[in-house]
C-alpha cells in the first residue's frame, strides 16, 4: 500500500482535496497555532521562562491533522512530544506553559479537556489507551474513540506490542498514531528496527494499517477521520504511521550535532508541513495575506493572555509534594506534609 | 461454589467456606452491586481462574464483564488502568505474584502515581489480585512474595488477608477504595481453612492492623500466610504460660504504625515474620519504625524470622526449610525472652 | 504462503521426501522416544514418582524435527513444555526425571548439553536466545545457531516482541519456533490474538517467516534445517510457526474438561505426528515391525537405567537452598546455610 | 575525555576528573583488557550516552563492542543475559533508573536467579549501569531511586559509588565480578566534583562499607548522592565539636553488616539517610539489622532521613524539599543526641 498523500512537499500540483474550505482554514489555523506555540516555547525556554521542553517542529501536521479528526467526547492520549495535539484538543496554552514550567498546576488538566497527561515512560500509554477505549463501550451506545500517540522508538517497547494485540482482541475503538520522525534521541529508525515500515506490523495483529505522509495535513486528517469512523463503527483499531521528521533537537537539552548530520536534517526540514499547507491554500485562494495576518494577531494575543495566566500561578507550596498520593492523606504523608509546613 | 451463593445483606448461618470461595463471593457481590466492576485476567473467564477464584462468574455476569485476557501482564495491568481512567472499577487477576514482574513498569510508573501526577484529577480505583507465597509445592517461580516491592511504591495500597472472613471483607473494601489496591492472596490459605463467613456485603477498613491474639510477652508481627504460623506458635507458647500477641498487619501500605507501636510498647518485645527473602523484606520497615518510635520500650532485640536470602526453592521436598514455621518463630521468641 | 507439509495426516499419498532413509529412521527413533518418555512420565506422575509435569503429547514433531536441525555446538532454549526437544538435544532422561521430581540435581544440566534451563516465566527466554546468538558471533567464525521455543500464548508477552525486533536489528543467528498448539492453559488462540496466523508477525520485524504443519516431522525438520542454514549464513533470524495441538492437559494438575470440548480435542488428536510418521515410513518400507520392536526395547532399557540413576540421587540437603546464590557465598547466605545445617 | 585517557597501570599525577569521566575511563579500560566486554544501551554508541558516560568509546572499540540498542529495556537486560550465557561480559546502560522498571521481569525472574536455578552451571557476569536520584531538575520520572527493589532480589549485587575515584575502582570490580551487579550512579554526582583518580586498572572490593569520616557521636549511614550530604552535615557538626561518623555503604547487596554494627557499637547512635521514598526503603534494612544485632549498644532511636512517601516531585523548584539535605540530617542528629 502506498503512502497516503494529497499535497506534495511543493504545495503545488495536487488534485482535489477531500476537505471543505472551512476545514482547510480550520486546519491552517490549528497548524499555524501549533507552529507558533512551538517557536515561542523554544524562545521562552532560552529565556529561562520554560524548563526543559520537547519541541515538535515539523510534526505539526502529524499531530494536528489526526487530532482534528476527534469529535466531542473523544479522548487524546499523548506522549511528552504531543503539545501540538494537546493544544489542538483544547488544552489551554497557559496550561501547557505551566506544565513545561514544572509547576504542579501544569499537571492538573481541566476536567473538560478529555486527554490523559503527557507520558514520559515510553510506550506505557498504549495499554491505557486500549482500556480507556473499552471503557467507553461499557458506558455509551456510541463509544468514544481514543487517539493515542507514540514515536518510532516507542514501537520497540513490549507495551506497544501488548497494546496492539489487546486492542485487536477486544476490537477496541482506538487509533494508534505512530509519528515516525526518524529518530529516537540519537538512534535513527534504521538502527531501531530492521523493517522501517512500521505499518507492516499491523497485519500481524489483525489491525488495520495505514501509512500517511505525516507532513501533509490533508492526508493526516483524512486518514484519521477514516480510522476514527472505523473505530466508532466497531470495526476495530487502526495503526496509523505518519511519516515525518524531527527537525528540532530531541529536547532543548539535546545537541543533535553530536549524532546526526545537520545538513541532512536541513534538507529534510524542507518537507515540513506548514510551508506546504500555506502554499497549497494560497494556490486555492483559501488563504490570503489578510487571513494570515489576522491569525498571527490572534495567536499573539492568545499567548500574551496565556502567559499572564501562567505568570499569575501561585508560588509552589512544598507541602504539595506529598498531596494527592492517596485520595485521603495517609499517616505517612501527613507526617511529611506537616514537616513540609502544610496547613 | 460461587454460582450458588445467595446474595443477601442479612448475616445468616451458612456453611463454612474456604478463602478462595470467600474471594469468589466478594467478587460476585461487587459485580452485582456495581455495573462498573469488571473482572479479567488469564484464564479467569471460562475456566474460572487457575485457583477457581472466579469460578462461574463469567457464566453469571457475561463475557463483557468477566473475561480472559491475552498472556501479557503489563497489558493486563495497563488495560485496567485505562478502564479505571474511563470510569470503570477493574479487578485484574495476575495468575501468580511472581508474574507481576512483567507489569512492574505499569505498576511503579503509573498505578501508584496517576493521582499524584494529575494532581488529583484522575484516580485509579483498581484492584490487582495475585496469589503469592509458598508452602504448597507449586512449580518453580510460582511461590514468590513480592509485597516489599509494592509497598515501597507511593500511592499503592497493599492488602494481604489471612482468613476467609477477612478476605471477603477486605476485598470488598479494596474494590470500593478510590485508590489502587494490591490484594495478595496466600496460596497456602486458599483452601487450608473453612470459616463461616457473613453473607452479603460487608467491609473491613483498610489501613488497620489487627490484634488477632492478645498477649503480653512478645509481639509477633505477621501477615497473610504467616498469621497461621504465628498463631500456632502462640498456642504452643501459651501451653508454657507465655502469652504472645499476634498482630496481623493486613494492610502493609499505608501501614498502621500506631497499632504496631502500641503493641510493642505493651510487650516490649518484637518478632517480625515474613516468608519473602530476608534482606529488604517488608518486615524491615516494621523493625525500622519500632526502632525509631518505640526503642525506649524495647527490652530485647527485634528479631526477624523470614525466608532466606535465596530464591524460593523449587525443591519441593525441602521448601518447608525456607518458609518460616512455628518452630522457627518459637526459637525467635525464646531469643527475645532471655 | 501456504503451510509447509510433506506428509498429510493420513500418512499416505505424499510425494518425495527431502530426507535420507537414515534421517527418516533417525527422525522416527527420536519421535518415538519422545512419545515414549511423555507417556511414561505421565504414568510416573500418577504413581507419585514425578511431580507436576507438563506433557507434550502431539507436539513431538514440532519439537523433535526442529531440534534435529541443530548441529554440534548449537544451542537449545526451551520453555517448560520442551522436554522432547531437550532429550532430543542430548539431555539424559535421568536428568529430565530429576527435574520433574524437583530435585536440585535436575536443574544442573551437564556442561556438554548446550541448552539453557527450562523457562517458567513465559517468553522471558526470547531475549536470552538473541543474546546467546549474538555472543556466538563474537567468538567463532562459524557462529552457533540458537533454537528458541515459545508457545502461542507466549507471543502475547512484550518479551516476544522485543526479542524479535532485537534479533532482526542484529541479524542474530537464531530460529524462533512458535508451537501453536491452540491453547494457553484454557485460552484458545482465537482469544489470544485477532489474527491467528502468528507467522504474519514476521514481516513487520523484517524477520523471515515460515509456517509448517507442526505434526509433520518431515516438514518441521526440513523447515528448521533451512532456517538454521540461513541463520548460520548470516541471513538473520526466522520465525517458524509450527501448527500443532495440545492433546494433553496443560499440566498434570490441569483438567481441560473445565474449559474445552474434549470431543473436539479427540478429533484433533487424530492429526498427531507419530501415527502419521509411522504410516509413512511403513509405506516407504523404511520402518518394519522389527525396527519398531527394537526401538521399543531400547527405550525400555534406557528408561530403566535412567530411573535407576534418578532414584540413586542423594537426599536433598536443605542447605542447598541457599547455595549458588552468588559465586562466593555472601554473609547472609552463610548465616542461612549454617542455620540449615550446612557443613 | 575518554578518547584521551592514557591507559597505564602506573599511578601518575593527573588532572582531576568528574565521576562520569571516571566511569568512562573504567569502561575504556575494561573494553581494552578483555575482548569479552561489550557495552550497549540506548544512545550509548554514536552519541556516547545521554550523560556521555560512553563518550568516544564506540569510535575506539567499534560498533560490534559498543552499540546502540532499540528502545526496550527488557530487551536490553535480556540481551545482556543471553550474551553473558554465551560467554561475554556485558555492560548494559539503562538510560535512567526509573526506566529499569520495564526490565524488572528479566531482572527479578532471571538476572538474580540464573546461578541458583542452574545450580551453578551458568553465571551471569553482567553489569547494569543506570543513573539514579534527584537534585538536578531532571524531567518527571527521571529521578527515581529504586535500589531497594534490586537489593531485595537474591543473587543481585547492588553497588552505588559516591566519588570519581570510587566509581572507577568499583565499576572495574563490578565488571570483573562473576555475578550480576547493578551499578547505580547518582546523577547529582556525575559532574559535581572533580577528583584526581589513579590511572590504569584498579579495583575496590565489593561488599564492603567504608568509613569516609570517622567520628564518635553518631553513625550516619548513607550511599551514593547522600554521602556528600552527610559529609556536609558532619562538617557543620564538627564546627560545634560533634564528630559524626559517615559510613558509605557502597554495596547494598550483599550488605556489609559487620562494618555497620561495628560503627554503631562505637557511637551508640544511628541516622540512616536515603533519598528514595521512606517506607520500605533500603535504609529500613539497615535499621532492622542494627535493631536485631546491636540494640544493647543503642543510646537513642534509629532515625531515618529520607525522601517522603510520595513520588519524586517533578516540580523542580521544590524538589530540594523532597531530597534530604544537610539541614534535615543535622535535625536528625540533634534528635538522637538528646
Ligand atoms: C521507558 C523509557 N526508556 C527510555 C526513556 C528515555 N527516552 C525519552 S525519549 C526517548 C526516545 C523516544 O523516541 P521516539 O519514541 O521515537 O519518540 P520521539 O522522541 O521521536 O518523539 C528515550 C529513549 C524513557 N523516557 N522511557
Ligand atoms: C509471565 C507468566 N505469566 C503466566 C504464567 C502462567 N502460565 C504458565 S503456562 C501458561 C500458558 C502458556 O501458553 P503457551 O505459551 O501457548 O504455551 P503452552 O502451555 O501451550 O505450551 C501460563 C499462562 C507464566 N508461567 N508466566
Ligand atoms: Mg522518534
Ligand atoms: Mg499454547
Amino acid at each position: 500500500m502506498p503512502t497516503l498523500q494529497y499535497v506534495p512537499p511543493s504545495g503545488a500540483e495536487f488534485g482535489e482535496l477531500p476537505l471543505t474550505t472551512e476545514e482547510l482554514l480550520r486546519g491552517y489555523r490549528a497548524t499555524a497555532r501549533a507552529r507558533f506555540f512551538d517557536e515561542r516555547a523554544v524562545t521562552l525556554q532560552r529565556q529561562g521562562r520554560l524548563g526543559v521542553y520537547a519541541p515538535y517542529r515539523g510534526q505539526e501536521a502529524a499531530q494536528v491533522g489526526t487530532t482534528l479528526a476527534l469529535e466531542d467526547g473523544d479522548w487524546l492520549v499523548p506522549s511528552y512530544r504531543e503539545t501540538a495535539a494537546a493544544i489542538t484538543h483544547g488544552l489551554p496554552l497557559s496550561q501547557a506553559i505551566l506544565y513545561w514550567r514544572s509547576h504542579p498546576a501544569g499537571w492538573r488538566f481541566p476536567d473538560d479537556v478529555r486527554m490523559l497527561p503527557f507520558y514520559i515512560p515510553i510506550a506505557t500509554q498504549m495499554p491505557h489507551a486500549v482500556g480507556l477505549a473499552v471503557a467507553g463501550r461499557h458506558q455509551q451506545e456510541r463509544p468514544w474513540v481514543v487517539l493515542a500517540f507514540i514515536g518510532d522508538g516507542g514501537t520497540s517497547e513490549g507495551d506497544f506490542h501488548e497494546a496492539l494485540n489487546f486492542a485487536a482482541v477486544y476490537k477496541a475503538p482506538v487509533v494508534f498514531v505512530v509519528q515516525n520522525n526518524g529518530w529516537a534521541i540519537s538512534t535513527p529508525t534504521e538502527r531501531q528496527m530492521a523493517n522501517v515500515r512500521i505499518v507492516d506490523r499491523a497485519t500481524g495483529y489483525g489491525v488495520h494499517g495505514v501509512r500517511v505522509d505525516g507532513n501533509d495535513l490533508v492526508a493526516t486528517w483524512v486518514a484519521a477521520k477514516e480510522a476514527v469512523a472505523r473505530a466508532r463503527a466497531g470495526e476495530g483499531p487502526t495503526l496509523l504511521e505518519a511519516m515525518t521528521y524531527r527537525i528540532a533537537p530531541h529536547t532543548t537539552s539535546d545537541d543533535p550535532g553530536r549524532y546526526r548530520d545537520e545538513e541532512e536534517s536541513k534538507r529534510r526540514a524542507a518537507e515540513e508541513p506548514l510551508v506546504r499547507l500555506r502554499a497549497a491554500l494560497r494556490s486555492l485562494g483559501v488563504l490570503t495575506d489578510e487571513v494570515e495576518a489576522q491569525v498571527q494577531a490572534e495567536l499573539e494575543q492568545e499567548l500574551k493572555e496565556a502567559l499572564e495566566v501562567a505568570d499569575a500561578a501561585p508560588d509552589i507550596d512544598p507541602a504539595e509534594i506529598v498531596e494527592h498520593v492517596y485520595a485521603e492523606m495517609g499517616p505517612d504523608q501527613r507526617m511529611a506534609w506537616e514537616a513540609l509546613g502544610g496547613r | 461454589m460461587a454460582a450458588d451463593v445467595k446474595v443477601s445483606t442479612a448475616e445468616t448461618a451458612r456453611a463454612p467456606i474456604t478463602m478462595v470461595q470467600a474471594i469468589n463471593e466478594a467478587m460476585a457481590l461487587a459485580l452485582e452491586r456495581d455495573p462498573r466492576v469488571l473482572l479479567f485476567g488469564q484464564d479467569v473467564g471460562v475456566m474460572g481462574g487457575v485457583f477457581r477464584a472466579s469460578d462461574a462468574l463469567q457464566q453469571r455476569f457475561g463475557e463483557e464483564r468477566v473475561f480472559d485476557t491475552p498472556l501479557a501482564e503489563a497489558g493486563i495491568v495497563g488495560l485496567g488502568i485505562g478502564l479505571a481512567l474511563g470510569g470503570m472499577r477493574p479487578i485484574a487477576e495476575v495468575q501468580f505474584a511472581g508474574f507481576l514482574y512483567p507489569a512492574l513498569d505499569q505498576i511503579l510508573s503509573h498505578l501508584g502515581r496517576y493521582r499524584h501526577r494529575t494532581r488529583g484529577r484522575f484516580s485509579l480505583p483498581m484492584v490487582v489480585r495475585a496469589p503469592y507465597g509458598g508452602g504448597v509445592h507449586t512449580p518453580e517461580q510460582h511461590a514468590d512474595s513480592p509485597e516489599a516491592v509494592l509497598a515501597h511504591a507511593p500511592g499503592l495500597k497493599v492488602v494481604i488477608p489471612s482468613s476467609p472472613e477477612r478476605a471477603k471483607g477486605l476485598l470488598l473494601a479494596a474494590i470500593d477504595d478510590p485508590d489502587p489496591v494490591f490484594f495478595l492472596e496466600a496460596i497456602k490459605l486458599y483452601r487450608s481453612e473453612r470459616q463461616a463467613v457473613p453473607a452479603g456485603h460487608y467491609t473491613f477498613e483498610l489501613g488497620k492492623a489487627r490484634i488477632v491474639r492478645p498477649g503480653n510477652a512478645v509481639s509477633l508481627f505477621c501477615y497473610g500466610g504467616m498469621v497461621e504460623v504465628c498463631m500456632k506458635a502462640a498456642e504452643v507458647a501459651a501451653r508454657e504460660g507465655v502469652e504472645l500477641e499476634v498482630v496481623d498487619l493486613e494492610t502493609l501500605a499505608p501501614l498502621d504504625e500506631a497499632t504496631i507501636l502500641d503493641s510493642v510498647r505493651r510487650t516490649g518485645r518484637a518478632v517480625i515474620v515474613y516468608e519473602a527473602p530476608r534482606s529488604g523484606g517488608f518486615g524491615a520497615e516494621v523493625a525500622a519504625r519500632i526502632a525509631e518510635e518505640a526503642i525506649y520500650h524495647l527490652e530485647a532485640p527485634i528479631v526477624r524470622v523470614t525466608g532466606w536470602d535465596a530464591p524460593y526453592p523449587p525443591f519441593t521436598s525441602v521448601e518447608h526449610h525456607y518458609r518460616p514455621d512455628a518452630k522457627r518463630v518459637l526459637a525467635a521468641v525464646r531469643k527475645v525472652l532471655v
Side-chain angles (χ1 to χ4, degrees), chain B residues 16 55 84 86 93 108 150 178 185-186 194-195 202 219 236-237 323:
Chain B
D55 197 41
E93 176 177 296
L108 302 179
L150 304 169
E185 303 160 4
R194 284 176 185 272
Q195 219 179 23
Y202 64 94
S219 301
V236 175
R323 198 165 176 268

Side-chain angles (χ1 to χ4, degrees), chain A residues 80-81 120-122 151-154 157 181 183-185 250:
Chain A
Y80 52 88
R81 179 83 62 211
I120 303 291
I122 300 293
D152 43 280
E157 291 279 8
N181 67 1
W183 296 93
I185 310 186
H250 172 66

Side-chain angles (χ1 to χ4, degrees), chain A residues 259-304:
Chain A
Y259 55 79
R260 72 180 185 187
D261 177 359
E262 285 295 61
E263 286 309 306
E264 157 77 359
S265 295
K266 265 182 214 146
R267 205 183 54 69
R268 294 294 307 273
E271 299 162 14
E272 66 99 330
L274 189 58
V275 167
R276 116 167 50 166
L277 182 66
R278 190 182 280 135
L281 297 205
R282 281 188 164 267
S283 78
L284 290 173
V286 169
L287 193 63
T288 58
D289 284 350
E290 209 170 31
V291 176
E292 281 202 49
Q294 193 200 327
V295 168
Q296 185 68 17
E298 281 167 15
L299 294 177
E300 296 281 2
Q301 179 63 22
E302 185 187 8
L303 181 67
K304 186 170 160 277

Side-chain angles (χ1 to χ4, degrees), chain A residues 181-205:
Chain A
N181 67 1
W183 296 93
I185 310 186
S186 79
T187 308
T189 317
E190 301 74 46
R191 273 209 298 283
Q192 190 71 240
M193 58 197 79
N195 173 4
V196 295
R197 284 181 52 86
I198 294 169
V199 70
D200 286 353
R201 310 263 180 100
T203 320
Y205 297 107

Side-chain angles (χ1 to χ4, degrees), chain A residues 12 16 33 48 52 55 66 85 90 114 153 162 166 168 185 213 224 228 234 247 253 261 272 305 311-312 324:
Chain A
E16 204 169 335
R33 180 165 171 265
V52 176
T66 50
R114 288 169 79 94
E162 299 189 13
F166 273 64
I185 310 186
D213 181 340
V228 166
I247 297 172
S253 318
D261 177 359
E272 66 99 330
E305 286 169 15
D311 291 347
H324 301 302

Side-chain angles (χ1 to χ4, degrees), chain B residues 208-269:
Chain B
K208 293 284 164 217
R210 191 171 64 101
I211 295 171
V212 285
R213 179 180 175 121
N216 55 19
V218 177
S219 301
L220 299 184
F221 297 105
C222 53
Y223 48 89
M226 289 295 107
V227 174
E228 65 167 16
V229 169
C230 290
M231 290 298 277
K232 200 171 295 169
E235 274 160 39
V236 175
R239 278 184 240 136
E240 296 170 23
V242 179
E243 287 302 335
L244 306 179
E245 174 149 309
V246 180
V247 183
D248 180 355
L249 300 179
E250 267 189 2
T251 301
L252 305 197
L255 186 63
D256 181 3
E257 182 179 297
T259 299
I260 294 168
L261 297 180
D262 181 64
S263 174
V264 90
R265 282 182 185 130
R266 282 186 286 97
T267 64
R269 292 175 164 86

Side-chain angles (χ1 to χ4, degrees), chain A residues 144-262:
Chain A
W144 60 61
V145 172
V146 177
L147 183 72
F149 284 91
I150 189 166
D152 43 280
T155 64
S156 295
E157 291 279 8
D159 276 6
F160 170 81
H161 168 74
E162 299 189 13
L164 265 281
N165 185 46
F166 273 64
V169 166
Y170 299 127
K171 275 206 161 205
V174 57
V175 179
F176 301 110
V177 179
V178 181
Q179 286 183 82
N180 188 341
N181 67 1
W183 296 93
I185 310 186
S186 79
T187 308
T189 317
E190 301 74 46
R191 273 209 298 283
Q192 190 71 240
M193 58 197 79
N195 173 4
V196 295
R197 284 181 52 86
I198 294 169
V199 70
D200 286 353
R201 310 263 180 100
T203 320
Y205 297 107
V207 160
H208 185 60
V210 185
R211 200 184 219 216
V212 301
D213 181 340
N215 294 343
D216 174 6
L217 181 91
V218 181
T220 58
W221 195 349
V222 170
K225 272 187 183 183
E226 277 173 29
V228 166
R230 282 180 65 93
R232 185 114 46 214
E235 290 163 33
T238 298
L239 179 68
L240 200 164
E241 183 182 15
M243 301 306 297
T244 180
Y245 192 80
R246 202 198 77 209
I247 297 172
H250 172 66
T251 68
T252 49
S253 318
D254 176 42
D255 169 13
R258 277 170 67 197
Y259 55 79
R260 72 180 185 187
D261 177 359
E262 285 295 61

